[in-house]
Amino acid sequence: MKHRRIPRRRAAVAGAGIAALVAAGVTFQSANASEAPKTPVARTLSSTAAGKLASTLVKDLGTDAAGTYYDARAKSLVVNVLDAAAAKTVQQSGAKARIVENSLAELDGARTTLREDATIPGTSWATDPVSNKVVVTADRSVSKAEWATLSKVVDGLGAKAELKRSKGEFKPFVAGGDAITGSGGRCSLGFNVVKGGQPYFLTAGHCTSAISTWSDSSGNQIGKNEQSSFPGNDFGLVKYTASADHPSAVDLYNGSTQAIAKAGEATVGEKVTRSGSTTHVHTGTVTGLNATVNYSEGTVSGLIQTDVCAEPGDSGGSLFDGDTALGLTSGGSGDCTSGGETFFQPVTEALSATGSQIG
């Protein structure tokens, strides 16, 4: 379904009033209507159901969709749109509508500018549907001169971007669920998978780019690299070379495991859990999608951004929501004492690229 976007000059006059009406739950109607029809009530949804509804609405709305996120408190899907007609479509589907200023195309344009003019080691950016901006972060390694350059680029993007400083330093968390080790380092096993009927596992690509043969925590060799992608992406596929239990489950470090039945796409606002061999199990929220991180080792794009903490050694570990696999720990800043940002390689992309499946 195609909707006509309100011209910018007209939107500048009407936008605030329309947004207020949508926020207040007022239904748009003709002037001669005798009785205002009731605004559809937003449906209560799980984060998984919200993600599916979001995919459908984004496809139906086309360029009138400007981002989605999950409101965990209200348990509802929020969809950013550009005009009242699109807002009505969203409301009728059972989701909440927000009329915003910046389209996804405009935000993508801002990301292109950042990539061309501000690819500085120690920086990251991700589209934030809650603020309707691209949020740019600089870690503590970014110098004053680099900060000045970054500020100039972000200022030139106006209301489409904002800049903030991180207290930590962006780096791949080299050193998982369960620990896997190799010559020169330790990482974490992400998810057990199957390819061609044979058992494999996924971990971080910056781990497999440095280590080719893997052992378990007892020192028993269990696998060798089959495929590795870093930078650009951050995933690696390892083939089991020894007889070892390889359940489709994540270690919860409390004597139990979480069974993993499928892979899915993360949703901004979704509550998620991470398991890794250094800091074990921590929870948090997805704060951005399609994030770009400029590590000193190279740039990785298309990542899930979260506020879940992690530390070196957690790399490659599992990000999940219930029985759904979401991502592989890539890197970030901070630690599990002070907090910080952590980024994850989407597991769906890793599965597709390697021709494997959860199992």
Side-chain angles (χ1 to χ4, degrees), residues 191-213:
F191 298 100
N192 282 316
V193 298
V194 175
K195 179 180 179 181
Q198 299 298 310
Y200 294 74
F201 65 81
L202 291 171
T203 187
H206 68 266
C207 296
T208 53
S209 68
I211 301 170
S212 59
T213 301

Side-chain angles (χ1 to χ4, degrees), residues 1 3 27-28 37-43 53 57 84-97:
M1 183 180 295
H3 303 282
T27 301
F28 300 100
K38 293 182 179 179
T39 300
V41 177
R43 287 191 285 157
L53 178 58
L57 282 171
K88 185 176 180 180
T89 298
V90 169
Q91 290 173 328
Q92 290 174 337
S93 75
K96 293 182 180 179

Side-chain angles (χ1 to χ4, degrees), residues 89-104:
T89 298
V90 169
Q91 290 173 328
Q92 290 174 337
S93 75
K96 293 182 180 179
R98 292 174 68 223
I99 294 181
V100 297
E101 178 64 17
N102 298 316
S103 68
L104 285 180

